[in-house]
Amino acid sequence: MNLLDKIKNIWPFGQSHKMRAIGFERPLSIDQPDAFVEKVIPRPQPDKDELLVKVLASSVNPVDTKMRANYAHSGVFRILGFDAVGVVVEVGQNVQHFSVGDKVYYAGAQLKPGSNAELQVVHEALVGHAPTSLSDEEIAAMPLTSITAYEILHEALCYDLEENSALGHTILIVNGAGGVGSVLIQLAKYIGMTVITTASRAESVTWVKSLGADYILDYHQDLNEQMRKIQHDKVDNIAILQNTDYYWPLATAVIKPFGRIASIVETTKPIDMGPLKNIGAQFSWVFMFAKGNYGVNMQSQGNALNQVARLLDENKIKTTLSKTYHGLSVENIRAATKEVEAGRMMGKVVVKYDEQ
């Protein structure tokens, strides 16, 4: 029996026009009883360029917590979840690269209903064929962070994702133990970079070492001095994955002439770009949802996921899964979200929908 037949036995999607979903209606504290609610809602229908996917697992990202905290449509049910692995159960008439029964993974689009539901509609350009050698939960940990890490390396820092193509180049990754950092360390090592990252807790240091980091700096101590001690007082590239305001002075002090800096974290006050001018250094924002939000170059994300799937199957990189909850439920979405909100996550936390 193939995967699609097994899913039909568990959940007869062809016989129902409804589905279960976990979402929220108001930006409540995570500890309040109605922070998340379960509803039975109409089954979504794919448009001509979309897939309908039976979701098998999803993960929680910081963007989920930010969107919930800033929600302005009180009383309107909103489904979060911007990572998924699942099986295609229906395709739109213009879909070219996927068929019913394909196992896929994706982050989806920020402005569309998310993956904390039994079914989800997603544009085929944003979707990749899932790795074949990993479990559902291991796959679900990867899409959003992999796309973000890929866009940092390829689009902001201008490297091709080819083995040892960046030998002799250096990168400083601020917050290497987080979801994006955990993938970025591995991809940077794959292309041959010397990787310097920040971590402090013993478990975080162990985690980033296991991913291949060459040097680990304690962000509670003077970072400039630590970089001088490891004889890397200047670097070719910097990825700021935490608190851009705080780390900007460091970034402008240690970037090499004609180096590149990328950040994924919004600023809360103006930052001084002046120090970059006379050294010809570049700065880029990376926000992986921008492509889906504006319909620009979306296929690049599907292509990136296919490339990452190959690296995972070839054991060139590994999943960043660190914890799994079992069952699509209010309790599990709440617990996983609470861990992300605490700001101490290493890797990713996933909810697998196998026990409902």
Side-chain angles (χ1 to χ4, degrees), residues 53-72:
V53 177
K54 172 67 174 101
V55 182
L56 302 175
S58 181
S59 75
V60 178
N61 290 282
V63 68
D64 297 69
T65 69
K66 293 176 183 177
M67 288 178 63
R68 192 169 59 84
N70 297 317
Y71 194 58

Side-chain angles (χ1 to χ4, degrees), residues 43-55 84-108 112-114 118-130 299 302 305-306:
R43 161 183 170 165
Q45 296 297 317
D47 203 348
K48 59 184 180 180
D49 297 311
E50 295 177 329
L51 313 174
L52 180 65
V53 177
K54 172 67 174 101
V55 182
V85 58
V87 175
V88 178
V89 296
E90 191 176 331
V91 298
Q93 60 184 7
N94 290 351
V95 169
Q96 299 181 11
H97 303 295
F98 299 93
S99 303
V100 171
D102 285 350
K103 192 169 186 178
V104 295
Y105 77 140
Y106 54 88
K112 298 277 191 176
E118 291 180 318
L119 287 164
Q120 184 182 10
V121 162
V122 61
H123 196 290
E124 75 159 333
L126 300 174
V127 177
H129 290 278
Q299 187 59 55
L305 288 170
N306 286 332

Side-chain angles (χ1 to χ4, degrees), residues 20-24 30 32-39 60 77 116 325-338 351 353 355:
R20 293 172 56 243
I22 309 298
F24 70 102
I30 193 65
Q32 294 194 40
D34 294 332
F36 289 101
V37 294
E38 178 177 321
K39 289 196 171 187
V60 178
F77 185 63
N116 295 339
Y325 290 90
H326 289 270
L328 175 61
S329 68
V330 166
E331 294 75 18
N332 285 337
I333 297 296
R334 182 203 305 276
T337 301
K338 192 170 185 176
V351 179
Y353 300 175
E355 298 172 10

Side-chain angles (χ1 to χ4, degrees), residues 238-305:
I238 301 172
I240 303 175
L241 311 181
Q242 184 179 51
N243 200 336
T244 301
D245 295 336
Y246 179 82
Y247 287 103
W248 186 251
L250 171 72
T252 57
V254 304
I255 193 68
K256 287 182 179 180
F258 304 100
R260 294 180 181 270
I261 304 170
S263 177
I264 65 170
V265 184
E266 65 275 14
T267 56
T268 60
K269 58 186 179 183
I271 57 174
D272 182 10
M273 302 292 290
L276 302 185
K277 176 185 176 295
N278 287 345
I279 63 171
Q282 306 293 314
F283 173 73
S284 298
W285 288 114
V286 174
F287 183 56
M288 60 82 56
F289 285 122
K291 291 178 179 177
N293 287 349
Y294 294 99
V296 175
N297 196 21
M298 295 194 297
Q299 187 59 55
S300 68
Q301 296 195 340
N303 295 344
L305 288 170

Side-chain angles (χ1 to χ4, degrees), residues 182-334:
S182 295
V183 181
L184 185 56
I185 288 172
Q186 296 185 78
L187 293 183
K189 288 305 300 178
Y190 173 72
I191 66 173
M193 285 187 174
T194 296
V195 174
I196 306 162
T197 191
T198 62
S200 179
R201 292 178 293 141
E203 56 267 37
S204 299
V205 170
T206 299
W207 175 259
V208 297
K209 278 184 179 178
S210 74
L211 300 172
D214 296 292
Y215 300 100
I216 303 163
L217 311 181
D218 182 350
Y219 58 81
H220 293 301
Q221 308 298 323
D222 186 317
L223 293 172
N224 282 281
E225 178 60 27
Q226 292 177 75
M227 292 184 70
R228 285 191 289 271
K229 285 183 178 179
I230 63 172
Q231 299 182 348
H232 286 287
D233 55 317
K234 300 285 185 181
V235 290
D236 299 295
N237 306 280
I238 301 172
I240 303 175
L241 311 181
Q242 184 179 51
N243 200 336
T244 301
D245 295 336
Y246 179 82
Y247 287 103
W248 186 251
L250 171 72
T252 57
V254 304
I255 193 68
K256 287 182 179 180
F258 304 100
R260 294 180 181 270
I261 304 170
S263 177
I264 65 170
V265 184
E266 65 275 14
T267 56
T268 60
K269 58 186 179 183
I271 57 174
D272 182 10
M273 302 292 290
L276 302 185
K277 176 185 176 295
N278 287 345
I279 63 171
Q282 306 293 314
F283 173 73
S284 298
W285 288 114
V286 174
F287 183 56
M288 60 82 56
F289 285 122
K291 291 178 179 177
N293 287 349
Y294 294 99
V296 175
N297 196 21
M298 295 194 297
Q299 187 59 55
S300 68
Q301 296 195 340
N303 295 344
L305 288 170
N306 286 332
Q307 196 165 2
V308 168
R310 176 180 61 79
L311 295 178
L312 288 164
D313 282 335
E314 293 176 355
N315 206 28
K316 301 291 188 180
I317 64 172
K318 63 182 181 180
T319 181
T320 58
L321 173 70
S322 58
K323 188 167 186 177
T324 305
Y325 290 90
H326 289 270
L328 175 61
S329 68
V330 166
E331 294 75 18
N332 285 337
I333 297 296
R334 182 203 305 276

